[in-house]
Amino acid sequence: DAEITQSPRHKITETGRQVTLACHQTWNHNNMFWYRQDLGHGLRLIHYSYGVQDTNKGEVSDGYSVSRSNTEDLPLTLESAASSQTSVYFCASSESTRGLAGGSEQYFGPGTRLTVT
Amino acid sequence: GESVGLHLPTLSVQEGDNSIINCAYSNSASDYFIWYKQESGKGPQFIIDIRSNMDKRQGQRVTVLLNKTVKHLSLQIAATQPGDSAVYFCAEWPISGGYNKLIFGAGTRLAVHP
């Protein structure tokens, strides 16, 4: 069955370290997304990609970067981890861009809990 | 697990009762709405969606109601089961926006008691 996976599931790192969170999907979806989820907030978009070599900044992109070298993977890198980046990170994918039908369902991974000490 | 629901508003219901979860949205330009379910330690899961040209849509045991006048959504779950225990949140999407305009609410925790 097609799926979307994230690794690691839990990560503890120190302030200033570079950290990369992996996201891999086997849906063959064009669109991939990274969100963070914090207490009292809804999911907030960090970066997204509509296809290979395409990347776009979301609402909270500062301090994060992504690259899309193939359809299956969208790794998220924290260039220099900060305590404010302690959060739960979710990757998602969807098949197509929004159309007249209203939207294209996003499939979410299980999340990565990142703690920056 | 990966859960952020500890301080969310909580709706407690008895197994078998109907549940109603409410959501207020902010953008009058939003024309598409989605309800998600997030179980403890898991990612969000799509439940049901509705477009602004509808005021009601039914799925399996779930119904979404949309009141555009007061910018309010509700999710009704019939005959609530223990497996329905989760955080539920709505999302709104304006017609002119890409995925960067999809806005998620913080959610409500549904606790189902036997």
Side-chain angles (χ1 to χ4, degrees):
Chain A
D1 288 344
E3 61 178 356
I4 180 165
T5 57
Q6 294 182 234
S7 63
R9 297 294 308 277
H10 302 269
K11 174 77 175 177
I12 300 173
T13 191
E14 294 177 344
T15 302
R17 298 260 190 178
Q18 183 181 79
V19 176
T20 297
L21 309 183
C23 175
H24 179 80
Q25 54 100 0
T26 58
W27 295 98
N28 199 34
H29 286 164
N30 288 323
N31 305 331
M32 295 185 72
F33 313 86
W34 274 104
Y35 293 93
R36 60 178 290 173
Q37 189 177 43
D38 302 287
L39 281 171
H41 292 273
L43 291 167
R44 290 185 289 175
L45 185 62
I46 304 171
H47 282 286
Y48 59 107
S49 168
Y50 287 151
V52 176
Q53 302 301 330
D54 175 75
T55 61
N56 306 278
K57 293 182 178 181
E59 177 191 1
V60 291
S61 60
D62 287 349
Y64 304 93
S65 64
V66 293
S67 61
R68 187 87 180 273
S69 58
N70 58 52
T71 300
E72 297 79 17
D73 299 288
L74 186 70
L76 177 71
T77 297
L78 287 68
E79 303 294 344
S80 178
S83 57
S84 61
Q85 294 177 308
T86 293
S87 187
V88 180
Y89 291 86
F90 288 99
C91 180
S93 70
S94 70
E95 183 176 13
S96 63
T97 55
R98 182 176 179 184
L100 294 176
S104 180
E105 180 178 346
Q106 289 177 300
Y107 295 84
F108 287 85
T112 295
R113 179 176 293 277
L114 176 68
T115 302
V116 183
T117 62
Chain B
E2 286 64 49
S3 173
V4 292
L6 293 177
H7 302 288
L8 294 172
T10 299
L11 174 66
S12 294
V13 300
Q14 292 296 124
E15 181 178 358
D17 287 351
N18 296 333
S19 302
I20 300 176
I21 300 169
N22 297 305
C23 175
Y25 65 92
S26 59
N27 189 347
S28 56
S30 293
D31 73 325
Y32 178 60
F33 305 89
I34 311 166
W35 276 101
Y36 291 89
K37 173 185 181 182
Q38 187 174 14
E39 296 175 271
S40 181
K42 296 185 179 180
Q45 180 181 14
F46 173 98
I47 302 173
I48 192 168
D49 57 357
I50 188 168
R51 294 194 67 188
S52 59
N53 60 352
M54 306 170 70
D55 54 19
K56 180 179 180 179
R57 189 168 187 217
Q58 289 184 292
Q60 187 175 13
R61 280 202 308 118
V62 295
T63 301
V64 55
L65 300 178
L66 174 62
N67 185 330
K68 295 181 289 294
T69 302
V70 294
K71 293 189 287 187
H72 183 268
L73 278 170
S74 67
L75 177 71
Q76 300 179 358
I77 304 174
T80 313
Q81 302 169 0
D84 295 326
S85 293
V87 173
Y88 292 82
F89 55 89
C90 66
E92 59 177 299
W93 205 343
I95 190 168
S96 61
Y99 279 94
N100 58 324
K101 300 298 184 184
L102 178 59
I103 305 299
F104 295 87
T108 296
R109 175 175 294 282
L110 177 65
V112 182
H113 303 285

